[in-house]
mmCIF file of all heavy atoms in Angstrom:
data_model
loop_
_atom_site.group_PDB
_atom_site.id
_atom_site.type_symbol
_atom_site.label_atom_id
_atom_site.label_comp_id
_atom_site.label_asym_id
_atom_site.label_seq_id
_atom_site.Cartn_x
_atom_site.Cartn_y
_atom_site.Cartn_z
ATOM 1 N N PHE A 739 28.933 118.741 117.665
ATOM 2 C CA PHE A 739 29.124 118.463 119.081
ATOM 3 C C PHE A 739 30.078 119.488 119.673
ATOM 4 O O PHE A 739 31.146 119.751 119.121
ATOM 5 C CB PHE A 739 29.670 117.044 119.280
ATOM 6 C CG PHE A 739 28.705 115.976 118.841
ATOM 7 C CD1 PHE A 739 28.815 115.419 117.568
ATOM 8 C CD2 PHE A 739 27.687 115.553 119.675
ATOM 9 C CE1 PHE A 739 27.921 114.441 117.148
ATOM 10 C CE2 PHE A 739 26.796 114.581 119.266
ATOM 11 C CZ PHE A 739 26.906 114.024 117.998
ATOM 12 N N ALA A 740 29.704 120.043 120.824
ATOM 13 C CA ALA A 740 30.497 121.094 121.467
ATOM 14 C C ALA A 740 31.906 120.627 121.808
ATOM 15 O O ALA A 740 32.854 121.406 121.755
ATOM 16 C CB ALA A 740 29.786 121.583 122.728
ATOM 17 N N SER A 741 32.080 119.355 122.129
ATOM 18 C CA SER A 741 33.390 118.855 122.566
ATOM 19 C C SER A 741 34.354 118.577 121.412
ATOM 20 O O SER A 741 35.536 118.376 121.641
ATOM 21 C CB SER A 741 33.212 117.585 123.387
ATOM 22 O OG SER A 741 32.617 116.584 122.598
ATOM 23 N N LEU A 742 33.854 118.559 120.171
ATOM 24 C CA LEU A 742 34.719 118.242 119.031
ATOM 25 C C LEU A 742 35.163 119.518 118.322
ATOM 26 O O LEU A 742 34.321 120.289 117.864
ATOM 27 C CB LEU A 742 33.998 117.319 118.051
ATOM 28 C CG LEU A 742 33.596 115.959 118.609
ATOM 29 C CD1 LEU A 742 32.840 115.147 117.565
ATOM 30 C CD2 LEU A 742 34.820 115.184 119.090
ATOM 31 N N PRO A 743 36.471 119.738 118.197
ATOM 32 C CA PRO A 743 36.969 120.971 117.590
ATOM 33 C C PRO A 743 36.899 120.978 116.061
ATOM 34 O O PRO A 743 36.999 122.022 115.444
ATOM 35 C CB PRO A 743 38.426 121.044 118.051
ATOM 36 C CG PRO A 743 38.817 119.624 118.271
ATOM 37 C CD PRO A 743 37.564 118.913 118.725
ATOM 38 N N ARG A 744 36.732 119.800 115.446
ATOM 39 C CA ARG A 744 36.706 119.707 113.991
ATOM 40 C C ARG A 744 35.437 119.032 113.508
ATOM 41 O O ARG A 744 34.840 118.225 114.208
ATOM 42 C CB ARG A 744 37.910 118.916 113.490
ATOM 43 C CG ARG A 744 39.192 119.693 113.623
ATOM 44 C CD ARG A 744 40.414 118.885 113.225
ATOM 45 N NE ARG A 744 41.618 119.535 113.707
ATOM 46 C CZ ARG A 744 42.102 119.449 114.930
ATOM 47 N NH1 ARG A 744 41.478 118.724 115.820
ATOM 48 N NH2 ARG A 744 43.187 120.093 115.280
ATOM 49 N N VAL A 745 35.082 119.341 112.270
ATOM 50 C CA VAL A 745 33.928 118.743 111.617
ATOM 51 C C VAL A 745 34.426 118.121 110.314
ATOM 52 O O VAL A 745 35.109 118.793 109.532
ATOM 53 C CB VAL A 745 32.844 119.801 111.312
ATOM 54 C CG1 VAL A 745 31.657 119.181 110.616
ATOM 55 C CG2 VAL A 745 32.424 120.525 112.584
ATOM 56 N N VAL A 746 34.116 116.844 110.105
ATOM 57 C CA VAL A 746 34.508 116.158 108.876
ATOM 58 C C VAL A 746 33.234 115.794 108.123
ATOM 59 O O VAL A 746 32.352 115.137 108.674
ATOM 60 C CB VAL A 746 35.331 114.890 109.187
ATOM 61 C CG1 VAL A 746 35.676 114.148 107.903
ATOM 62 C CG2 VAL A 746 36.589 115.246 109.961
ATOM 63 N N LEU A 747 33.162 116.230 106.872
ATOM 64 C CA LEU A 747 32.000 115.951 106.031
ATOM 65 C C LEU A 747 32.446 115.056 104.881
ATOM 66 O O LEU A 747 33.291 115.451 104.077
ATOM 67 C CB LEU A 747 31.415 117.253 105.472
ATOM 68 C CG LEU A 747 31.014 118.310 106.496
ATOM 69 C CD1 LEU A 747 30.596 119.592 105.790
ATOM 70 C CD2 LEU A 747 29.900 117.794 107.389
ATOM 71 N N GLU A 748 31.901 113.839 104.816
ATOM 72 C CA GLU A 748 32.192 112.933 103.710
ATOM 73 C C GLU A 748 30.887 112.678 102.973
ATOM 74 O O GLU A 748 29.893 112.254 103.566
ATOM 75 C CB GLU A 748 32.795 111.620 104.206
ATOM 76 C CG GLU A 748 33.247 110.744 103.067
ATOM 77 C CD GLU A 748 34.046 109.524 103.516
ATOM 78 O OE1 GLU A 748 34.130 109.252 104.729
ATOM 79 O OE2 GLU A 748 34.582 108.838 102.637
ATOM 80 N N SER A 749 30.896 112.962 101.685
ATOM 81 C CA SER A 749 29.692 112.826 100.871
ATOM 82 C C SER A 749 29.319 111.366 100.668
ATOM 83 O O SER A 749 30.135 110.466 100.893
ATOM 84 C CB SER A 749 29.932 113.460 99.491
ATOM 85 O OG SER A 749 30.772 112.622 98.704
ATOM 86 N N PRO A 750 28.093 111.145 100.199
ATOM 87 C CA PRO A 750 27.779 109.802 99.702
ATOM 88 C C PRO A 750 28.717 109.499 98.518
ATOM 89 O O PRO A 750 29.330 110.401 97.952
ATOM 90 C CB PRO A 750 26.326 109.933 99.228
ATOM 91 C CG PRO A 750 25.781 111.130 99.948
ATOM 92 C CD PRO A 750 26.948 112.050 100.151
ATOM 93 N N ASP A 751 28.802 108.229 98.116
ATOM 94 C CA ASP A 751 29.657 107.845 96.988
ATOM 95 C C ASP A 751 29.275 108.623 95.731
ATOM 96 O O ASP A 751 28.086 108.887 95.492
ATOM 97 C CB ASP A 751 29.519 106.349 96.698
ATOM 98 C CG ASP A 751 30.052 105.482 97.827
ATOM 99 O OD1 ASP A 751 30.579 106.037 98.818
ATOM 100 O OD2 ASP A 751 29.936 104.254 97.716
ATOM 101 N N VAL A 752 30.298 108.984 94.949
ATOM 102 C CA VAL A 752 30.081 109.710 93.695
ATOM 103 C C VAL A 752 30.663 108.923 92.533
ATOM 104 O O VAL A 752 31.556 108.086 92.705
ATOM 105 C CB VAL A 752 30.706 111.130 93.737
ATOM 106 C CG1 VAL A 752 29.995 112.002 94.753
ATOM 107 C CG2 VAL A 752 32.196 111.089 94.004
ATOM 108 N N THR A 753 30.147 109.193 91.351
ATOM 109 C CA THR A 753 30.675 108.612 90.121
ATOM 110 C C THR A 753 30.916 109.730 89.120
ATOM 111 O O THR A 753 30.424 110.844 89.296
ATOM 112 C CB THR A 753 29.701 107.581 89.501
ATOM 113 O OG1 THR A 753 28.461 108.230 89.224
ATOM 114 C CG2 THR A 753 29.459 106.394 90.419
ATOM 115 N N CYS A 754 31.675 109.436 88.084
ATOM 116 C CA CYS A 754 31.932 110.357 86.970
ATOM 117 C C CYS A 754 32.828 111.542 87.322
ATOM 118 O O CYS A 754 32.775 112.578 86.669
ATOM 119 C CB CYS A 754 30.626 110.850 86.353
ATOM 120 S SG CYS A 754 29.559 109.532 85.737
ATOM 121 N N VAL A 755 33.682 111.419 88.338
ATOM 122 C CA VAL A 755 34.601 112.502 88.702
ATOM 123 C C VAL A 755 35.615 112.664 87.574
ATOM 124 O O VAL A 755 36.216 111.691 87.123
ATOM 125 C CB VAL A 755 35.329 112.192 90.030
ATOM 126 C CG1 VAL A 755 36.364 113.259 90.348
ATOM 127 C CG2 VAL A 755 34.328 112.060 91.163
ATOM 128 N N LYS A 756 35.771 113.897 87.112
ATOM 129 C CA LYS A 756 36.712 114.201 86.035
ATOM 130 C C LYS A 756 37.874 115.031 86.566
ATOM 131 O O LYS A 756 37.687 115.948 87.362
ATOM 132 C CB LYS A 756 36.018 114.972 84.900
ATOM 133 C CG LYS A 756 34.934 114.177 84.212
ATOM 134 C CD LYS A 756 35.522 113.014 83.459
ATOM 135 C CE LYS A 756 34.451 112.174 82.802
ATOM 136 N NZ LYS A 756 34.889 110.842 82.508
ATOM 137 N N LYS A 757 39.054 114.721 86.093
ATOM 138 C CA LYS A 757 40.282 115.428 86.454
ATOM 139 C C LYS A 757 40.189 116.904 86.054
ATOM 140 O O LYS A 757 39.669 117.242 84.987
ATOM 141 C CB LYS A 757 41.455 114.760 85.733
ATOM 142 C CG LYS A 757 42.791 115.400 85.958
ATOM 143 C CD LYS A 757 43.853 114.642 85.184
ATOM 144 C CE LYS A 757 45.217 115.252 85.409
ATOM 145 N NZ LYS A 757 46.270 114.484 84.744
ATOM 146 N N ASN A 758 40.661 117.776 86.951
ATOM 147 C CA ASN A 758 40.752 119.229 86.736
ATOM 148 C C ASN A 758 39.407 119.939 86.551
ATOM 149 O O ASN A 758 39.377 121.066 86.093
ATOM 150 C CB ASN A 758 41.670 119.546 85.548
ATOM 151 C CG ASN A 758 43.085 119.101 85.803
ATOM 152 O OD1 ASN A 758 43.566 119.111 86.942
ATOM 153 N ND2 ASN A 758 43.763 118.680 84.751
ATOM 154 N N HIS A 759 38.317 119.293 86.900
ATOM 155 C CA HIS A 759 36.999 119.931 86.824
ATOM 156 C C HIS A 759 36.599 120.375 88.230
ATOM 157 O O HIS A 759 36.544 119.558 89.133
ATOM 158 C CB HIS A 759 35.986 118.939 86.272
ATOM 159 C CG HIS A 759 34.593 119.500 86.118
ATOM 160 N ND1 HIS A 759 34.066 120.463 86.920
ATOM 161 C CD2 HIS A 759 33.617 119.222 85.230
ATOM 162 C CE1 HIS A 759 32.831 120.746 86.562
ATOM 163 N NE2 HIS A 759 32.538 119.997 85.530
ATOM 164 N N PRO A 760 36.310 121.679 88.429
ATOM 165 C CA PRO A 760 35.881 122.122 89.767
ATOM 166 C C PRO A 760 34.417 121.755 90.035
ATOM 167 O O PRO A 760 33.549 122.023 89.205
ATOM 168 C CB PRO A 760 36.064 123.647 89.710
ATOM 169 C CG PRO A 760 36.014 123.986 88.255
ATOM 170 C CD PRO A 760 36.462 122.775 87.484
ATOM 171 N N TYR A 761 34.167 121.135 91.184
ATOM 172 C CA TYR A 761 32.817 120.751 91.601
ATOM 173 C C TYR A 761 32.425 121.585 92.818
ATOM 174 O O TYR A 761 33.196 121.749 93.746
ATOM 175 C CB TYR A 761 32.759 119.252 91.940
ATOM 176 C CG TYR A 761 33.011 118.371 90.744
ATOM 177 C CD1 TYR A 761 34.266 117.832 90.515
ATOM 178 C CD2 TYR A 761 32.000 118.098 89.830
ATOM 179 C CE1 TYR A 761 34.510 117.018 89.411
ATOM 180 C CE2 TYR A 761 32.232 117.297 88.721
ATOM 181 C CZ TYR A 761 33.488 116.764 88.521
ATOM 182 O OH TYR A 761 33.722 115.973 87.428
ATOM 183 N N ARG A 762 31.191 122.088 92.808
ATOM 184 C CA ARG A 762 30.697 123.011 93.835
ATOM 185 C C ARG A 762 30.267 122.273 95.100
ATOM 186 O O ARG A 762 29.636 121.217 95.041
ATOM 187 C CB ARG A 762 29.513 123.794 93.269
ATOM 188 C CG ARG A 762 29.006 124.909 94.149
ATOM 189 C CD ARG A 762 27.830 125.642 93.517
ATOM 190 N NE ARG A 762 26.640 124.805 93.440
ATOM 191 C CZ ARG A 762 25.855 124.510 94.451
ATOM 192 N NH1 ARG A 762 26.130 124.953 95.660
ATOM 193 N NH2 ARG A 762 24.793 123.751 94.291
ATOM 194 N N VAL A 763 30.596 122.894 96.252
ATOM 195 C CA VAL A 763 30.150 122.400 97.561
ATOM 196 C C VAL A 763 29.587 123.602 98.323
ATOM 197 O O VAL A 763 30.244 124.643 98.421
ATOM 198 C CB VAL A 763 31.305 121.765 98.367
ATOM 199 C CG1 VAL A 763 30.820 121.333 99.743
ATOM 200 C CG2 VAL A 763 31.917 120.601 97.617
ATOM 201 N N SER A 764 28.371 123.474 98.833
ATOM 202 C CA SER A 764 27.735 124.512 99.649
ATOM 203 C C SER A 764 27.520 123.968 101.048
ATOM 204 O O SER A 764 27.015 122.850 101.208
ATOM 205 C CB SER A 764 26.375 124.912 99.075
ATOM 206 O OG SER A 764 26.526 125.446 97.790
ATOM 207 N N ILE A 765 27.887 124.768 102.037
ATOM 208 C CA ILE A 765 27.772 124.342 103.430
ATOM 209 C C ILE A 765 27.014 125.408 104.205
ATOM 210 O O ILE A 765 27.323 126.597 104.083
ATOM 211 C CB ILE A 765 29.169 124.117 104.052
ATOM 212 C CG1 ILE A 765 29.918 123.048 103.264
ATOM 213 C CG2 ILE A 765 29.058 123.748 105.530
ATOM 214 C CD1 ILE A 765 31.387 122.948 103.577
ATOM 215 N N ARG A 766 26.045 124.982 104.999
ATOM 216 C CA ARG A 766 25.304 125.899 105.868
ATOM 217 C C ARG A 766 25.378 125.402 107.302
ATOM 218 O O ARG A 766 25.220 124.204 107.552
ATOM 219 C CB ARG A 766 23.845 126.005 105.439
ATOM 220 C CG ARG A 766 23.668 126.648 104.101
ATOM 221 C CD ARG A 766 22.234 126.809 103.683
ATOM 222 N NE ARG A 766 21.325 126.034 104.508
ATOM 223 C CZ ARG A 766 20.017 126.132 104.472
ATOM 224 N NH1 ARG A 766 19.431 126.953 103.672
ATOM 225 N NH2 ARG A 766 19.260 125.397 105.244
ATOM 226 N N VAL A 767 25.608 126.324 108.208
ATOM 227 C CA VAL A 767 25.611 126.017 109.639
ATOM 228 C C VAL A 767 24.320 126.592 110.209
ATOM 229 O O VAL A 767 24.035 127.779 110.025
ATOM 230 C CB VAL A 767 26.840 126.634 110.350
ATOM 231 C CG1 VAL A 767 26.824 126.273 111.833
ATOM 232 C CG2 VAL A 767 28.131 126.179 109.691
ATOM 233 N N LEU A 768 23.548 125.746 110.884
ATOM 234 C CA LEU A 768 22.262 126.154 111.443
ATOM 235 C C LEU A 768 22.263 125.972 112.951
ATOM 236 O O LEU A 768 22.727 124.952 113.458
ATOM 237 C CB LEU A 768 21.126 125.333 110.835
ATOM 238 C CG LEU A 768 21.026 125.348 109.302
ATOM 239 C CD1 LEU A 768 19.987 124.368 108.831
ATOM 240 C CD2 LEU A 768 20.717 126.741 108.797
#
């Protein structure tokens, strides 16, 4: 939305998150 200065992306619920493990996130703006 043009009027909003920020974008917040919250994923669906996840399971099996492990401490100190990097997980990849890819974002595309169209």
Side-chain angles (χ1 to χ4, degrees):
F739 295 96
S741 62
L742 298 178
R744 288 176 195 82
V745 179
V746 177
L747 304 174
E748 187 171 8
S749 74
D751 294 357
V752 294
T753 59
C754 302
V755 175
K756 296 293 178 201
K757 178 180 181 176
N758 297 328
H759 181 329
Y761 295 98
R762 187 180 68 76
V763 177
S764 298
I765 301 167
R766 294 182 346 171
V767 181
L768 305 173

